[in-house]
Structures are given as structure tokens and as C-alpha cells.
Amino acid sequence: MAIIEIRGLRKVYRPDTGAPPVEALRDVSLSVEAGEFLAIVGPSGCGKSTLLEIVGGLQAPTSGDVVVAGEPVRGPRADVGIVFQEDSTFPWLTTLDNVKFGLRARGVPAAEQEERARQVIQLVGLRGFERHYPRELSGGMRQRVAIARTLVLRPKILLMDEPFGALDAQTRLLLGNELLRIWQEIGATILFVTHDLIEALRLADRVVLMTRRPGRIKRTVETAAPRPRDERLMASTEMARLANLLWEELREEVGEEGQG
Amino acid sequence: MTLRRKALTLRWLTLLVLFGLVEALPRAGLVRPATLEPASVILGRLMEIIVTGSIPSPYFARTGSPTLASHVSATLGSILLSYAGAVVVGTAGGVLLWRVPLLARILQPYLVVYYALPLFALYPLFILLFGVGFLPIVLLGFCFAIVVVMVNTALGLRRVDEEVYPKVGRSLGLGPAQMYLSIYLPAAAPYVFSGWKLGFVYSTISVVASEFLISVRGLGHVIDRSYRNFETANMYAAILLVIAGVLVANAMLTRLERRLYRRRG
């Protein structure tokens, strides 16, 4: 059974400045299987982030509904974790306290907080940086802290909104591989928003391509290629075909935007 | 580190040059002693006042109280009272401005012109309403300091709303109280603290200036009377005392800020 069911989702923003309403999403339907790694790609401003925030319960849809684990979403759920694009680590807390933040808020006993936080810090490769403040860490390390802060709550579903968007190419590649390793270790379902087609194909089981605004689902491609998908595999005929196909579709969207 | 050291060196150097100028100009006869006494004389007088605990002044010996403690306690008391009020009410008011956007919209033009108004021009009104003594001085200090605290608090909280932190808090399932204490408070702290620091300066300015006009005690009164009686060294010594007080208070607030900011959330 699907762990996430999105049916007929529509989102319209009505600015209180009196500007005309903006339709961000139109008739989006999608189901995600438990344990799946699903990537969502699309031109910027296509409503990918909006979709993710609706699934995460941070925004309400205008119409349509989202069902997670059999229950309609009405707000943030304890078993859904979100990782944001921008640096979201709390600058006033150390790595360890950042990671413990959600546990503390949920009233987990101190000893358990400590143990779970240290485990996850180890998992994301930040051992030795427990006492550092975010300003003493690189952008990639801060994003690891943010991921750890979410993972420590053991979410069944991980929503990631361009989590590596602000990082350089090498760090992206490295963190992508680590994310796959972690995903295989914890067995969560991942919804991964990105504007990078290759990143999407390298990581996901299924890639959903969205149109420009109002965002609809244009095309879905699946790949069963074994992981890790290194440079050689990514250059193989099959992957190149998928990448080209997605690229053509995406170019249409960006091109139309340019003409309009 | 080198920049820090350079800045520190230059800072002391400017002080030294200033000291030299203040020393040289009166001694060379370029400035009248009624305007400026040599720096060494001023510092010597300051030391004398602190050590003996009284102001060596024929005027104060004759009319007022010459003891330093009575003036310092008057000024310090007025500043602390007005400042405490401004911090408590101003911070709460800032939270209110942030929570009620309509209120912020209504008050915005008033808040913008507030510091352009000569609040001191209203001191006769304050005397009329509250009499002579501590009360009008404390109230003027409170009025002068509260708006900067309020505006900075509201600004800081609004900035937090533009950041990703509240979203993170909600996604982690925080309740309203936890959102305030664990997200908004620490995230807005740098702004709130700059409001608090400015508030202290404003409070001090207001209290010392009010003492010029409507008090028979306090460092402001000492500055004013010394000036009128040509006791220039006394005047500058009292000014230095005020400056030292502000520097100490600022350092204490900075320390408090660092401690809170580094505190475990």
C-alpha cells in the first residue's frame, strides 16, 4: 500500500496586497510506496517546494487531499521529517544541541537524547564536531547537522527540499552518496525535490517531472539501475536516454516560460 | 587577530593623541581655562573626587551636597529605574507590535518621527504633571528609552519570521510556548539586545540632561552647576564619570548577551 497518497491537489495563493491570485499547483496526483526514493524535478517556481510543504503539513492545500500512512494530513506529523534548502541549523546551538533539539521538544529523557544524538551524528559523519557551533562548520557540514536533526526523530518519511541546492558540485555528490547509504540503513521513504536532473536520476527509484507554474505532473520515469550509480553507469545508454528524455521535457517548460 | 590588534593599538593611540591635545591646548593658552582645563588637571580632579568622595567646590560646599555618593546614587537610581521600566514594557510592547500587525501599521509613522521630536521640550509639562524631583526625571528617561527597545524587539521578531527557523520548529512539532522560548527568543536575541543597549544609552542621556534642568542632585546637576560656576575641571570629571558608567554598563550587557547566546537552548 502507498504510504503517501496525493489526490487532485490544487494550491492558489491570494496575496493580501490585492495582487492577482497565483496558482502554484494544479491537479497533482501521486502515490509514493513505502521505502521508495522519489525525486521531483521541475523548473524553478513550479511549486515543488509548495507540494513538499503541503505533504509535510506546513501549508494547507486549496483543494484536494494528502493521505499519509492512511490518515489525512492536517499539520506536521511526528513521523514525517523535513530538510530545508537554506541553512536551517540554529546558530545559537552546538551540533549536539541542534541534533537534540527535536528530542528535547518531545520530552525524550536526557540520557536517551544523548545516546540517539551521538548515534545519528556518527551516521552523518560529524563525529568530533559535537561541540562546534554552525558558524564553525562548512556549508556541507551544516546541512549534515540539519539532516541529523531530522533523522534523530526516526521519521518514516523524509521530505527534502533541494537539500544540497546551496552546496558546491563535489559536496553535492558526496552528500548524495551518503544520503543513499543512510536511506538504505534506515529504510525510510524519501521525497527529494531538486532542479538537477542528473542528481535526481542518480539518487531516485522514480523521477517525477513537473511543468512550470501552475505545477502539474508532466512525466514520470523509473529506473531500476543498481546503486551506487557512478559516473560510468550514469554515462550508460539507458541512463543517458532517460536523462535526455527528461531534459527535452524540461527544456520545453523552461522554453515556454521564456517565450511567455 | 591582526586586525583586532591593529584596531586596539589605533584606538589607544587616538585616545593618547586626544589626551595630548587636551593637555597642550590649554597649557599653550590657545583655549581659555573656563572652556577646557589640561587633561592632567581633569584626571587629577577625577581621582581626587573619587578618593575623597566629595567634590572640591565652593559652590557645592555652600549650597548643595558636595558628596559624590549622593550625586552618583541619584543619577544611577534614576537611570536604573527608567531603564528597567523601558526594558520590561518596551520588550513586551515590541512583542505586541509584532503579534498585532494592525497596531504596528497604525503606530508606524509615530514611531518613525518619535526621536525627531524634542522630547525634552516637554519637560515643563512633566514638572507640571509630576512635580519636581525623581519622578519626572525617571519618566522622561523611560519615555526616551522605551521606543528604541520596542522597535528593535519587533524588528528582530519580524526578521525571524522571514527566516526558515519557524518552519523548522513547526515541522519538529513544537507547541506555541516552545516556539517562543526555543525559536523566537534566541533567534531574535541579537536585535533585542541591540535595542536594550541603545535603550541604556538613551536612558542615560535623558536622565543626565533632565538633571541639568530639573534636579538639585545627580551628575547632570553637577555638570551644569560646575559649568555655570566656572569649575571646569569638576565639570569634565563628572562627564568622564558618566562616560565610564555607560562603558561599564555596555560591557555588562555584551557579556550577558554572549552568555545567553551561548547558553544551551
Side-chain angles (χ1 to χ4, degrees):
Chain A
M1 198 196 85
I3 192 163
I4 305 173
E5 274 289 346
I6 301 168
R7 272 173 269 165
L9 209 62
R10 181 161 182 265
K11 177 73 185 182
V12 181
Y13 289 105
R14 295 177 199 284
D16 55 2
T17 53
V22 177
E23 191 176 11
L25 294 172
R26 182 188 289 174
D27 194 29
V28 173
S29 296
L30 181 67
S31 64
V32 186
E33 299 301 318
E36 192 177 357
F37 195 133
L38 182 102
I40 301 171
V41 293
S44 52
C46 75
K48 309 178 291 255
S49 300
T50 304
L51 177 61
L52 215 62
E53 291 195 2
I54 292 174
V55 175
L58 291 179
Q59 290 191 40
T62 306
S63 61
D65 49 8
V66 179
V67 178
V68 168
E71 293 164 28
V73 171
R74 292 213 178 73
R77 294 170 54 100
D79 55 356
V80 176
I82 308 180
V83 178
F84 298 90
Q85 174 180 10
E86 53 271 67
D87 175 16
S88 67
T89 52
F90 299 127
W92 58 90
L93 297 178
T94 60
T95 298
L96 187 63
D97 287 331
N98 257 292
V99 175
K100 281 182 185 172
F101 187 88
L103 295 173
R104 188 172 292 159
R106 288 180 190 183
V108 172
E112 194 189 332
Q113 279 180 27
E114 187 78 16
E115 194 196 320
R116 280 169 68 173
R118 287 194 186 276
Q119 266 173 15
V120 173
I121 286 171
Q122 165 108 27
L123 182 71
V124 300
L126 280 178
R127 246 184 90 177
F129 294 95
E130 288 88 347
R131 307 235 159 267
H132 287 62
Y133 283 86
R135 63 176 170 274
E136 299 161 337
L137 303 174
S138 68
M141 289 163 92
R142 273 183 244 165
Q143 205 53 306
R144 287 172 197 250
V145 175
I147 292 170
R149 186 178 57 196
T150 304
L151 287 182
V152 79
L153 300 169
R154 296 176 183 155
K156 282 203 289 242
I157 299 167
L158 204 53
L159 307 175
M160 307 185 89
D161 186 4
E162 303 206 27
F164 311 143
L167 307 174
D168 62 89
Q170 270 159 326
T171 313
R172 285 174 87 115
L173 209 63
L174 196 76
L175 280 187
N177 287 338
E178 299 230 356
L179 179 63
L180 285 176
R181 176 179 60 79
I182 291 165
W183 169 64
Q184 280 157 351
E185 198 161 317
I186 63 175
T189 308
I190 296 183
L191 244 70
F192 187 96
V193 164
T194 174
H195 60 258
D196 183 341
L197 285 179
I198 304 302
E199 185 176 56
L201 279 173
R202 221 167 52 78
L203 298 175
D205 300 310
R206 197 149 59 108
V207 179
V208 171
L209 182 83
M210 287 179 72
T211 65
R212 70 200 166 92
R213 197 165 59 213
R216 282 152 293 153
I217 290 175
K218 188 170 193 190
R219 172 130 208 180
T220 304
V221 301
E222 286 183 46
T223 142
R227 294 182 179 89
R229 297 169 186 161
D230 56 16
E231 287 307 305
R232 245 190 39 218
L233 183 73
M234 291 307 289
S236 69
T237 340
E238 171 62 9
M239 287 311 243
R241 190 185 66 82
L242 289 178
N244 267 328
L245 195 143
L246 284 171
W247 178 234
E248 284 301 320
E249 301 261 10
L250 186 64
R251 192 153 62 189
E252 261 172 48
E253 294 307 315
V254 180
E256 279 172 39
E257 174 97 335
Q259 284 157 25
Chain B
M1 214 55 197
T2 44
L3 180 73
R4 196 188 134 109
R5 183 157 296 177
K6 213 184 272 178
L8 216 63
T9 315
L10 284 173
R11 190 188 292 168
W12 285 108
L13 209 67
T14 26
L15 197 68
L16 214 68
V17 169
L18 196 70
F19 184 92
L21 273 175
V22 173
E23 183 69 31
L25 287 177
R27 289 219 187 274
L30 291 168
V31 179
R32 288 178 306 140
T35 310
L36 191 64
E37 295 261 19
S40 55
V41 174
I42 294 170
L43 288 178
R45 182 62 59 85
L46 181 62
M47 285 311 292
E48 186 188 341
I49 290 174
I50 291 172
V51 169
T52 62
S54 84
I55 301 157
S57 150
Y59 169 77
F60 279 106
R62 200 169 60 245
T63 58
S65 160
T67 58
L68 178 66
S70 70
H71 295 295
V72 168
S73 64
T75 302
L76 204 61
S78 302
I79 291 173
L80 289 183
L81 261 175
S82 62
Y83 179 59
V87 163
V88 172
V89 182
T91 308
V95 173
L96 202 69
L97 272 186
W98 163 67
R99 291 295 300 166
V100 189
L102 180 67
L103 190 70
R105 290 259 166 124
I106 294 170
L107 292 181
Q108 207 234 347
Y110 301 107
L111 296 176
V112 167
V113 299
Y114 188 80
Y115 284 109
L117 294 174
L119 200 64
F120 285 116
L122 296 179
Y123 87 90
L125 182 71
F126 275 75
I127 295 177
L128 209 65
L129 290 173
F130 308 110
V132 191
F134 281 113
L135 196 57
I137 293 175
V138 170
L139 285 175
L140 262 171
F142 169 78
C143 289
F144 210 59
I146 183 174
V147 170
V148 73
V149 174
M150 219 158 92
V151 167
N152 272 280
T153 303
L155 177 74
L157 290 166
R158 255 180 244 133
R159 279 286 159 84
V160 180
D161 272 331
E162 289 162 17
E163 303 254 13
V164 70
Y165 308 129
K167 263 193 213 170
V168 177
R170 282 171 57 213
S171 81
L172 295 174
L174 264 60
Q178 286 175 321
M179 285 291 279
Y180 276 107
L181 289 176
S182 313
I183 303 267
Y184 282 101
L185 193 71
Y191 290 88
V192 176
F193 263 98
S194 73
W196 286 2
K197 282 184 196 166
L198 283 170
F200 190 84
V201 174
Y202 281 37
S203 221
T204 306
I205 292 173
S206 175
V207 164
V208 172
S210 309
E211 285 173 347
F212 276 31
L213 301 167
I214 51 176
S215 178
V216 293
R217 278 214 288 158
L219 290 172
H221 176 68
V222 173
I223 293 169
D224 180 57
R225 290 300 134 135
S226 306
Y227 171 68
R228 286 163 193 269
N229 291 291
F230 304 103
E231 296 174 354
T232 315
N234 284 344
M235 178 182 87
Y236 283 108
I239 290 175
L240 284 179
L241 272 177
V242 173
I243 291 173
V246 170
L247 285 177
V248 167
N250 198 63
M252 279 165 67
L253 281 169
T254 304
R255 252 189 118 124
L256 180 70
E257 179 182 11
R258 284 219 189 103
R259 185 169 303 174
L260 282 182
Y261 205 72
R262 285 220 148 204
R263 175 201 60 163
R264 295 156 59 93

